[in-house]
């Protein structure tokens, strides 16, 4: 019993430090932390194969704390174990109790919720917005399998948090792809923030739901070291048993374990004052004695036995025309027409062959986004993960794959990424290297109507383009190619760049605007026609309408400049210079709601103070179904005719 | 058996029309439609209590088509039954087969996916973005119970679609609130878009998952009229049996029922050409004969027996100070300090007493958002719905409550609404009257760090402010009050206005800026200080930092104007006039990422072409935890000192 008694002693010690550090911070969740004291002790001190001196070791077992607010208990263990911390990977130091006591200080690397890029690389993902961790864990397991690394991924999930549907999307993907290396551990402490948890999230219902989803659910006492160890052993055995169901653990725990004064309803996220804290800690000592806690046995962290992944050689990708020919789509080269989504499929397949780190994911629309080009290629298929109709899980799952050093390309309709914006934000906060490709963007989808159209994505990614990540690069590059060759080239650029990118693709075939040698860059733009009377800055499908308008404007004697604004952020100074060369008259055109490209141009112009004028054309009403793109473009007032009229109005001219 | 044979005949007839109309449209989902032919026939012709001549009848049974792409089968039935259609509620006409054949035409009210405000008020919600319908159905049931209307809500859900976690969030809320009037019917046709459905969504697993969640799951053959009728009867009985579990139906169906040439993998969303269509329809006739279809019995739609809801009298709300005193918070009036989230709670409770249509929802943070003021009031508690940690379900559920004529106020952290943006968009497309209140917005939350901060919400709602709904009003009003009294007043304004509103509230207490008599409007702004050298336009928490900066600027001899920009959209002309009165120098300040208020000001200025200059201050890096708002505000470069420096820089001055 001495290992058990030592685990009780250690659990008590880190629970007490959780009270100390949250009191010092003046905020935090010490009672949730205490409910995890034994689980964290068994995992971090006795079961996980990892190294405190190399907490990001790629072959070590990993720990995803989905209920991020419980993090003080992990920090307490990390301070005790001297886990390396620091913002600069080349200048890390062992964590101390003083570090723990600096929790949530603006100068401290010990942040309020887990975040690997805020100085705590023991974690792979920022958590705290609930329901996302199990998907990340599944992604880490998927990447480990691709790399042949036999590590396990432990994921601690709150019972209240398991109300989030995404948890059950993750449960399903673990089954679909047999990702048994993930060990989901539900912390059934029976209390949410504002109420006891629903009966729908009781330990009994969680066990029933997991069983219905095909899991072997182990119900244990989460404060009993032997039961914890036994259930973890069952998980360990299951990983290598092809006949075993995936194992999940439902641990009944006590919120505020050991301290009756902190238990029951009303203690969530509350920090005790000094007196109450002392009571809580004295009670913990008493409880600890009652359960026989004695630190009389050394706790030993098992060695890492898995091997590190091997470095991957990256080869060159073919030119667009060659890739298109190789894909059997040569007719498109002759016709000079192809949709940008089709080009994405060609690019993804070519990339897959050039770079073994590239992984593809899609949410049951791979035959629409053309991610199926990757999936149907036998040599690539094992790096394709079908995520089914569950976009939130896809994004967090992909973010986990990216955290393990892969380059995940995820696709679905631009519209459907909208429901995963929280997950996307958490991925950026994690420093994740993710590539999102949203198809059927804007209104050119036409027939299916607004329930399938990406209309608000541009504004949201525009916000990301206004800030910088920890390394000074934009939160996101938003790319909106107008032509197949450009979409192909930008897909390659996304893969080469280490950071978050979002590319929109279009449903209809569109004419080629570019040639094989043309270069495109993240942050770039392209001058298609040089004029002097008016600058037209169009993006995506609208470049083609603008092109049509240009001919008619020419007939009216107007010599307009046309810029293909395919990136956010873009070079504001260059756009201002172009405006300057066009008398300061600017017309922007995009087929989504506003706060997008036109807004970014207006910001550049208004920031410059040059006295220029920006007229914006964008979608200003809810679209509806139309049988052709032309119908819907006209319905939304964005046809070439509308563009001509707007241009004439800016120049205060009337058509001849 | 003659009723059954007639149902077969009718099912065949509407399945055939589904082929005809999708072929005419050139797109659509005839095979999914065919899989629902019998279910829709039994429901619409024999089981639901409703009136084709009054499809929006508030006491009728309702039909939510969660898998919106299957809508041709409902349109086909509606054309046969002469259901009233039209954009103008005062000028409706019975639908004809010609209308059905105009599916997806730009001039047609028969849209590609369900939408009540595009001319088809048989539905209550726009669907098509998957996984949302069951939540809407639960909301309709919740509203019906509040109104004492004994109607039932039938919800058809795709099996592939049931991968969306939101479906299971909805299942849980039906259990939590005992909303047995909802009849979820899973269409288990075994095929998704790009693949057969996962084993995790097989009919057997769906039954197991429903049972685990506490449902009585009826597994039936979805093409057997008797089994359909029997399962619907079981549901009908369960509604009034307090001991009965909620009933759900899992219907095994055939995608492309009746037409072997259209069955199996590869037919999702594909429209047959003329020859293939003829084959499919001939096959349908053959199958129909084989199952003994004969239209020899009249199908009768049962009468509506439930009564309509009664009109509600609305009384006046108290002045802010009185409401605060009544809430026992009088000290705040003396201190002249209160958080805007606290004021929201006071407002919500006062509103609840003044207007019985007001319903409150929250996602397990009601003690943080202060929705608990409503919940804890015994006279209001029955109109409070705890939605637990499941924001997507909350938004669609609230949207359903709104569709039934209630005024739903939904609250959670601003950050967590992000994951429900798709649901919010579908609610707007539905014409829903929803009120969202996102707390802990911006960076003043401080200690918890970026996983809990609303940083990208402003940009997204900014996009909504750039377009108009069907009635010409903005897609959303975004409100960002800086002061408790303003938050109180704007809550009342939101309730009075029929349309979507989003209000951000702040965590920390802030000083009062306004008095009881002050008026605030959706679309308004407030000039706090009139100057002439520089226009400072600040929003939310930043108004207070700007106020501090104003004193220091005054000491430097700079006479700045301060505007509290609390709404998007705002009166652009008025802001341009203010800029004009301040030499055209503008500084905007907000504590979120960009593409928000500053961007909207830049758009107004650049659109005006007046040569003014807009300098924006906003969050430009990922925030981290800090122990005080001041710490994080300084970390993000938004303190009063930073504002002073920026103002001086705009005016090309140096501090004395």
């Amino acid at each position: 019993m001495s290992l058990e008694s030592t685990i009780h002693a250690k659990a008590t010690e880190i629970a007490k430090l959780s009270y100390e550090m949250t009191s010092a911070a003046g905020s935090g969740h010490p009672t949730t932390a205490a409910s995890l004291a034994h689980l964290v002790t068994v995992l971090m001190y006795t079961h996980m194969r990892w190294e405190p001196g190399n907490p990001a070791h790629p072959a070590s077992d990993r720990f995803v704390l989905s209920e991020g607010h419980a993090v003080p208990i992990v920090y307490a263990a990390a301070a005790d174990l001297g886990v390396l911390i620091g913002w600069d990977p080349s200048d890390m130091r062992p964590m101390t109790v003083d570090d723990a006591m600096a929790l949530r200080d603006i100068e401290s690397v010990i942040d309020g919720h887990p975040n690997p890029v805020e100085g705590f690389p023991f974690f792979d993902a920022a958590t705290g917005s609930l329901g996302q961790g199990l998907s990340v864990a599944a992604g880490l397991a998927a990447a480990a399998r691709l790399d042949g690394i036999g590590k396990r991924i432990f994921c601690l999930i709150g019972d209240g948090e398991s109300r989030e549907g995404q948890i059950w999307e993750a449960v399903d993907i673990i089954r679909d792809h047999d990702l048994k290396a993930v060990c989901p551990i539900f912390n059934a402490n029976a209390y949410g923030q504002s109420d006891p948890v629903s009966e729908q999230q009781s330990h009994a219902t969680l066990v029933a739901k997991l069983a219905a989803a095909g899991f072997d659910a182990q119900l244990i006492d989460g404060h009993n070291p032997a039961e914890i160890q036994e259930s973890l052993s069952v998980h360990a055995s299951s990983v290598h048993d092809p006949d075993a169901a995936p194992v999940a653990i439902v641990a009944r725990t006590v919120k505020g374990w050991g301290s009756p004064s902190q238990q029951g309803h009303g203690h969530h996220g509350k920090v005790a004052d000094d007196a109450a804290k002392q009571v809580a800690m004295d009670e913990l000592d008493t409880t600890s004695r009652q359960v026989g806690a004695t630190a009389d046995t050394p706790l030993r962290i098992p060695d890492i036995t898995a091997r590190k992944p091997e470095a991957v050689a990256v080869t060159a990708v073919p030119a667009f025309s060659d890739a298109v020919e190789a894909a059997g789509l040569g007719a498109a080269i002759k016709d000079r027409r192809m949709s940008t989504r089709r080009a994405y499929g060609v690019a993804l397949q070519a990339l897959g062959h050039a770079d073994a780190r590239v992984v593809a994911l899609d949410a049951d629309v791979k035959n629409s986004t053309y991610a199926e080009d990757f999936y149907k290629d036998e040599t690539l298929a094992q790096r394709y993960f079908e995520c089914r109709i569950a976009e939130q899980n896809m994004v967090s799952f992909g973010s986990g794959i990216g955290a393990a050093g892969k380059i995940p390309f995820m696709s679905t309709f631009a519209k459907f990424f909208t429901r995963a914006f929280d997950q996307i934000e958490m991925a950026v906060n994690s420093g994740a290297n993710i590539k999102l490709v949203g198809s059927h963007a804007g209104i050119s989808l036409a027939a299916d109507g607004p329930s399938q159209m990406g209309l608000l994505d541009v504004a949201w990614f525009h916000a990301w383009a206004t800030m910088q990540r920890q390394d000074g690069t934009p939160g996101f590059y938003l790319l909106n190619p107008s032509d197949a060759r450009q979409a192909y080239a930008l897909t390659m650029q996304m893969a080469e760049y280490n950071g978050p990118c979002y590319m929109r693709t279009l449903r209809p075939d569109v004419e080629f605007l570019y040639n094989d040698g043309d270069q495109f860059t993240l942050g770039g733009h392209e001058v298609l026609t040089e004029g002097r009377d008016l600058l037209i800055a169009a993006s995506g499908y609208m470049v083609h309408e603008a092109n049509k308008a240009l001919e008619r404007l020419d007939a009216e004697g107007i010599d307009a400049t046309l810029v293909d604004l395919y990136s956010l952020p873009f070079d504001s100074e260059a756009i201002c210079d172009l405006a300057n060369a066009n008398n300061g008259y600017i017309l922007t055109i995009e087929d989504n709601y506003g706060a997008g490209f036109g807004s970014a141009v207006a910001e550049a112009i208004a920031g410059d103070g040059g006295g220029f004028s920006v007229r914006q054309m964008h979608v200003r009403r809810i679209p509806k179904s139309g049988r052709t793109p032309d119908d819907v473009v006209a319905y939304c007032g964005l046809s070439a005719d509308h563009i001509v009229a707007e241009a004439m109005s800016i120049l205060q001219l009337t058509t001849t």
Side-chain angles (χ1 to χ4, degrees), chain A residues 337-417:
Chain A
R337 289 177 69 82
M338 181 187 265
S339 69
T340 53
R341 63 181 173 130
R342 194 72 205 75
Y344 169 66
V346 174
L348 188 65
Q349 187 180 11
L351 251 182
H353 287 287
D355 190 336
R357 295 170 304 172
V358 171
V359 172
L361 302 90
D362 193 275
D364 194 30
V365 288
K366 56 184 175 290
N367 53 338
S368 291
T369 61
Y370 285 105
E372 72 172 8
D373 288 1
F374 193 101
Y375 163 73
K376 288 188 167 173
D377 186 322
E378 277 179 26
T379 59
L380 304 176
Q382 67 148 347
R383 283 189 270 136
Y384 175 85
F385 291 92
E386 177 54 58
C387 295
R388 310 286 177 174
I389 308 174
E391 299 76 11
Q392 298 200 329
N393 174 68
M394 179 171 73
V395 167
S396 304
F397 180 64
S399 158
I401 291 174
K406 304 290 176 194
I407 307 175
F409 277 79
M410 310 174 215
S411 49
T412 183
F413 283 25
K415 172 73 164 80
F416 308 143
F417 272 120

Side-chain angles (χ1 to χ4, degrees), chain A residues 36-52:
Chain A
L36 289 179
H38 292 84
L39 285 160
V40 165
T41 299
V42 173
L43 281 170
M44 290 181 68
Y45 288 85
T46 77
H47 192 83
M48 279 176 65
R49 297 181 179 278
W50 69 293
E51 290 173 5

Side-chain angles (χ1 to χ4, degrees), chain A residues 586-589 613-617 620 645-646 649-651:
Chain A
I586 309 163
L587 175 61
T588 65
I589 319 171
S613 161
V614 181
R615 187 82 65 90
Q616 291 188 49
M617 294 181 77
R620 292 179 191 271
E646 200 74 28
S649 152
I650 293 171
L651 300 174

Side-chain angles (χ1 to χ4, degrees), chain A residues 12-13 15-17 19-20 256-263 272-290:
Chain A
T12 304
E13 182 187 332
K16 285 172 71 176
L17 183 51
Y19 280 102
E20 294 281 18
W257 178 83
S259 306
S261 66
Q262 295 289 320
Q263 295 168 7
D273 62 23
D274 278 352
K277 181 190 74 178
Q278 199 52 54
V279 171
M281 290 172 60
D282 291 347
E283 289 174 334
L284 255 168
D285 280 331
T286 306
T287 305
S288 190
R289 276 192 302 275
Q290 286 165 351

Side-chain angles (χ1 to χ4, degrees), chain A residues 140-157:
Chain A
L140 292 168
R145 186 164 66 200
L146 289 177
D147 286 331
I149 304 177
K151 66 187 180 189
R152 289 155 72 208
I153 328 298
F154 301 93
C155 181
L156 275 159
I157 306 150

Side-chain angles (χ1 to χ4, degrees), chain A residues 96-451:
Chain A
T96 65
V97 170
D98 282 349
D99 286 316
M101 296 301 284
L103 173 72
R104 297 186 167 206
D105 189 275
I106 195 75
E107 306 279 348
S108 167
V109 300
I110 306 304
D111 224 50
H113 286 80
N115 193 334
V117 287
E118 282 298 340
F120 201 78
F122 174 73
F123 292 122
D124 297 285
T127 52
S129 183
L130 294 171
Q132 305 182 22
L134 189 56
S135 305
V136 173
L140 292 168
R145 186 164 66 200
L146 289 177
D147 286 331
I149 304 177
K151 66 187 180 189
R152 289 155 72 208
I153 328 298
F154 301 93
C155 181
L156 275 159
I157 306 150
D159 48 1
E161 173 186 18
S162 67
R163 181 70 165 230
E164 291 283 9
Q166 187 184 349
I167 293 289
W168 303 97
E169 295 173 359
V171 161
D172 279 352
I173 207 163
I174 289 171
R175 276 288 284 179
D176 270 357
H177 295 288
D178 198 30
L179 299 167
K180 290 194 291 197
V182 179
C183 181
I185 305 173
F186 290 83
N187 176 25
N189 68 24
Y191 288 94
Q193 173 176 323
S194 72
D195 277 314
V197 300
S198 158
E199 180 58 30
Q200 297 300 104
Q201 278 69 50
S202 70
H203 62 88
T205 308
L206 289 175
V207 167
K209 286 180 173 183
L210 286 162
F215 275 66
D216 171 6
Q218 303 271 317
L219 180 64
I220 64 164
D221 172 352
H223 299 294
N224 181 321
E227 290 191 26
I228 297 171
Q229 289 169 311
E230 171 59 22
S231 64
L232 290 172
S233 297
V234 172
H235 178 263
S237 316
S238 76
V239 174
H240 302 293
D241 177 357
D243 298 328
V247 170
I249 298 170
V250 177
R252 295 189 68 174
T253 63
V254 178
K255 200 160 176 172
W257 178 83
S259 306
S261 66
Q262 295 289 320
Q263 295 168 7
H265 182 44
H267 293 281
H268 181 95
K270 301 264 170 70
V271 166
D273 62 23
D274 278 352
K277 181 190 74 178
Q278 199 52 54
V279 171
M281 290 172 60
D282 291 347
E283 289 174 334
L284 255 168
D285 280 331
T286 306
T287 305
S288 190
R289 276 192 302 275
Q290 286 165 351
V291 297
T294 328
D296 56 5
T297 305
L299 299 175
R300 209 183 70 77
I301 299 175
D303 292 337
I304 299 171
T305 51
R307 61 167 185 77
K308 289 191 187 184
E310 281 155 31
V312 168
V314 179
T315 59
V317 291
F320 172 75
S321 299
D322 296 337
V324 169
E325 292 287 354
L329 299 168
I333 301 289
K334 283 191 206 77
D335 297 348
R336 295 190 57 82
R337 289 177 69 82
M338 181 187 265
S339 69
T340 53
R341 63 181 173 130
R342 194 72 205 75
Y344 169 66
V346 174
L348 188 65
Q349 187 180 11
L351 251 182
H353 287 287
D355 190 336
R357 295 170 304 172
V358 171
V359 172
L361 302 90
D362 193 275
D364 194 30
V365 288
K366 56 184 175 290
N367 53 338
S368 291
T369 61
Y370 285 105
E372 72 172 8
D373 288 1
F374 193 101
Y375 163 73
K376 288 188 167 173
D377 186 322
E378 277 179 26
T379 59
L380 304 176
Q382 67 148 347
R383 283 189 270 136
Y384 175 85
F385 291 92
E386 177 54 58
C387 295
R388 310 286 177 174
I389 308 174
E391 299 76 11
Q392 298 200 329
N393 174 68
M394 179 171 73
V395 167
S396 304
F397 180 64
S399 158
I401 291 174
K406 304 290 176 194
I407 307 175
F409 277 79
M410 310 174 215
S411 49
T412 183
F413 283 25
K415 172 73 164 80
F416 308 143
F417 272 120
T418 316
R419 70 202 295 150
F421 276 2
D422 188 16
Q423 287 74 8
I424 295 172
E425 182 173 1
M426 294 307 291
V428 178
N429 290 356
S430 306
N433 182 24
I434 55 171
K435 318 298 169 184
L436 310 176
V437 179
S439 72
H440 299 66
I443 61 175
S444 61
L445 162 61
D448 281 307
S451 70

Side-chain angles (χ1 to χ4, degrees), chain A residues 470-488:
Chain A
Q470 292 87 349
D471 68 0
T473 57
F476 253 98
Y477 278 107
L478 162 64
L479 304 164
N480 196 30
S482 59
D483 143 293
R485 194 172 264 107
Q486 193 180 44
Y488 182 86

